mmCIF file of all heavy atoms in Angstrom:
data_model
loop_
_atom_site.group_PDB
_atom_site.id
_atom_site.type_symbol
_atom_site.label_atom_id
_atom_site.label_comp_id
_atom_site.label_asym_id
_atom_site.label_seq_id
_atom_site.Cartn_x
_atom_site.Cartn_y
_atom_site.Cartn_z
ATOM 1 N N ARG X 245 -10.241 -14.518 2.974
ATOM 2 C CA ARG X 245 -9.566 -15.190 4.153
ATOM 3 C C ARG X 245 -10.469 -15.050 5.376
ATOM 4 O O ARG X 245 -10.991 -13.911 5.721
ATOM 5 C CB ARG X 245 -8.229 -14.659 4.425
ATOM 6 C CG ARG X 245 -7.514 -15.207 5.598
ATOM 7 C CD ARG X 245 -6.239 -14.407 6.010
ATOM 8 N NE ARG X 245 -5.642 -15.062 7.171
ATOM 9 C CZ ARG X 245 -4.680 -14.389 7.866
ATOM 10 N NH1 ARG X 245 -4.367 -13.261 7.666
ATOM 11 N NH2 ARG X 245 -4.176 -15.102 8.962
ATOM 12 N N CYS X 246 -10.673 -16.097 6.144
ATOM 13 C CA CYS X 246 -11.325 -16.010 7.398
ATOM 14 C C CYS X 246 -10.511 -16.806 8.503
ATOM 15 O O CYS X 246 -10.066 -17.907 8.177
ATOM 16 C CB CYS X 246 -12.706 -16.497 7.361
ATOM 17 S SG CYS X 246 -13.879 -15.560 6.421
ATOM 18 N N TYR X 247 -10.298 -16.183 9.594
ATOM 19 C CA TYR X 247 -9.476 -16.813 10.584
ATOM 20 C C TYR X 247 -9.984 -16.520 12.032
ATOM 21 O O TYR X 247 -10.863 -15.558 12.198
ATOM 22 C CB TYR X 247 -8.026 -16.429 10.506
ATOM 23 C CG TYR X 247 -7.776 -14.876 10.591
ATOM 24 C CD1 TYR X 247 -7.289 -14.351 11.797
ATOM 25 C CD2 TYR X 247 -7.930 -14.089 9.487
ATOM 26 C CE1 TYR X 247 -7.047 -12.965 11.841
ATOM 27 C CE2 TYR X 247 -7.665 -12.758 9.642
ATOM 28 C CZ TYR X 247 -7.327 -12.241 10.849
ATOM 29 O OH TYR X 247 -7.067 -10.828 11.021
ATOM 30 N N ALA X 248 -9.557 -17.225 13.012
ATOM 31 C CA ALA X 248 -9.902 -16.974 14.399
ATOM 32 C C ALA X 248 -8.757 -16.603 15.286
ATOM 33 O O ALA X 248 -7.609 -17.075 14.998
ATOM 34 C CB ALA X 248 -10.536 -18.286 15.014
ATOM 35 N N THR X 249 -9.027 -15.725 16.292
ATOM 36 C CA THR X 249 -8.033 -15.341 17.183
ATOM 37 C C THR X 249 -8.666 -15.401 18.635
ATOM 38 O O THR X 249 -9.814 -15.338 18.724
ATOM 39 C CB THR X 249 -7.527 -13.860 16.942
ATOM 40 O OG1 THR X 249 -8.569 -13.018 17.143
ATOM 41 C CG2 THR X 249 -6.967 -13.670 15.527
ATOM 42 N N THR X 250 -7.675 -15.532 19.577
ATOM 43 C CA THR X 250 -8.176 -15.534 20.944
ATOM 44 C C THR X 250 -8.435 -14.113 21.437
ATOM 45 O O THR X 250 -8.987 -14.013 22.624
ATOM 46 C CB THR X 250 -7.111 -16.238 21.851
ATOM 47 O OG1 THR X 250 -5.908 -15.558 21.732
ATOM 48 C CG2 THR X 250 -7.035 -17.671 21.462
ATOM 49 N N SER X 251 -8.047 -13.106 20.656
ATOM 50 C CA SER X 251 -8.319 -11.705 21.109
ATOM 51 C C SER X 251 -9.201 -11.093 20.119
ATOM 52 O O SER X 251 -9.307 -11.449 18.955
ATOM 53 C CB SER X 251 -6.919 -10.976 21.188
ATOM 54 O OG SER X 251 -7.122 -9.651 21.047
ATOM 55 N N PRO X 252 -10.021 -10.074 20.561
ATOM 56 C CA PRO X 252 -10.847 -9.304 19.545
ATOM 57 C C PRO X 252 -10.032 -8.533 18.521
ATOM 58 O O PRO X 252 -10.680 -8.045 17.650
ATOM 59 C CB PRO X 252 -11.751 -8.462 20.447
ATOM 60 C CG PRO X 252 -10.909 -8.256 21.653
ATOM 61 C CD PRO X 252 -10.187 -9.570 21.847
ATOM 62 N N TYR X 253 -8.780 -8.394 18.751
ATOM 63 C CA TYR X 253 -7.934 -7.558 17.848
ATOM 64 C C TYR X 253 -7.350 -8.381 16.778
ATOM 65 O O TYR X 253 -6.546 -9.434 17.114
ATOM 66 C CB TYR X 253 -6.949 -6.812 18.664
ATOM 67 C CG TYR X 253 -7.511 -6.022 19.734
ATOM 68 C CD1 TYR X 253 -7.386 -6.434 21.098
ATOM 69 C CD2 TYR X 253 -8.221 -4.909 19.565
ATOM 70 C CE1 TYR X 253 -7.978 -5.767 22.104
ATOM 71 C CE2 TYR X 253 -8.845 -4.232 20.607
ATOM 72 C CZ TYR X 253 -8.653 -4.584 21.864
ATOM 73 O OH TYR X 253 -9.214 -3.947 22.905
ATOM 74 N N PRO X 254 -7.604 -8.219 15.520
ATOM 75 C CA PRO X 254 -7.172 -9.099 14.470
ATOM 76 C C PRO X 254 -5.666 -8.954 14.128
ATOM 77 O O PRO X 254 -5.164 -9.842 13.365
ATOM 78 C CB PRO X 254 -7.874 -8.602 13.234
ATOM 79 C CG PRO X 254 -8.300 -7.243 13.578
ATOM 80 C CD PRO X 254 -8.441 -7.069 15.031
ATOM 81 N N MET X 255 -4.921 -7.941 14.738
ATOM 82 C CA MET X 255 -3.528 -7.872 14.392
ATOM 83 C C MET X 255 -2.631 -8.746 15.243
ATOM 84 O O MET X 255 -1.400 -8.760 14.951
ATOM 85 C CB MET X 255 -3.080 -6.389 14.492
ATOM 86 C CG MET X 255 -3.090 -5.847 15.851
ATOM 87 S SD MET X 255 -4.651 -5.595 16.742
ATOM 88 C CE MET X 255 -5.327 -4.293 15.664
ATOM 89 N N GLN X 256 -3.035 -9.419 16.272
ATOM 90 C CA GLN X 256 -2.234 -10.298 17.051
ATOM 91 C C GLN X 256 -1.701 -11.436 16.154
ATOM 92 O O GLN X 256 -2.262 -11.856 15.168
ATOM 93 C CB GLN X 256 -2.925 -10.789 18.210
ATOM 94 C CG GLN X 256 -4.015 -11.887 17.922
ATOM 95 C CD GLN X 256 -4.554 -12.472 19.257
ATOM 96 O OE1 GLN X 256 -4.791 -11.744 20.119
ATOM 97 N NE2 GLN X 256 -4.515 -13.725 19.290
ATOM 98 N N SER X 257 -0.509 -11.993 16.580
ATOM 99 C CA SER X 257 0.132 -12.976 15.837
ATOM 100 C C SER X 257 -0.382 -14.461 15.944
ATOM 101 O O SER X 257 -0.127 -15.232 15.278
ATOM 102 C CB SER X 257 1.620 -13.008 16.164
ATOM 103 O OG SER X 257 1.904 -13.284 17.511
ATOM 104 N N THR X 258 -1.218 -14.644 17.099
ATOM 105 C CA THR X 258 -1.779 -15.912 17.347
ATOM 106 C C THR X 258 -3.118 -16.012 16.632
ATOM 107 O O THR X 258 -4.020 -15.250 16.856
ATOM 108 C CB THR X 258 -1.998 -16.160 18.868
ATOM 109 O OG1 THR X 258 -0.707 -16.071 19.494
ATOM 110 C CG2 THR X 258 -2.652 -17.538 19.125
ATOM 111 N N TYR X 259 -3.220 -16.938 15.617
ATOM 112 C CA TYR X 259 -4.432 -17.095 14.910
ATOM 113 C C TYR X 259 -4.508 -18.593 14.420
ATOM 114 O O TYR X 259 -3.566 -19.290 14.395
ATOM 115 C CB TYR X 259 -4.509 -16.150 13.728
ATOM 116 C CG TYR X 259 -3.435 -16.404 12.614
ATOM 117 C CD1 TYR X 259 -3.696 -17.277 11.635
ATOM 118 C CD2 TYR X 259 -2.240 -15.768 12.831
ATOM 119 C CE1 TYR X 259 -2.725 -17.528 10.660
ATOM 120 C CE2 TYR X 259 -1.236 -15.953 11.871
ATOM 121 C CZ TYR X 259 -1.473 -16.896 10.734
ATOM 122 O OH TYR X 259 -0.590 -17.167 9.840
#
Side-chain angles (χ1 to χ4, degrees):
R245 176 192 182 196
C246 290
Y247 61 99
T249 65
T250 56
S251 163
Y253 307 106
M255 68 286 294
Q256 72 171 46
S257 59
T258 300
Y259 66 88

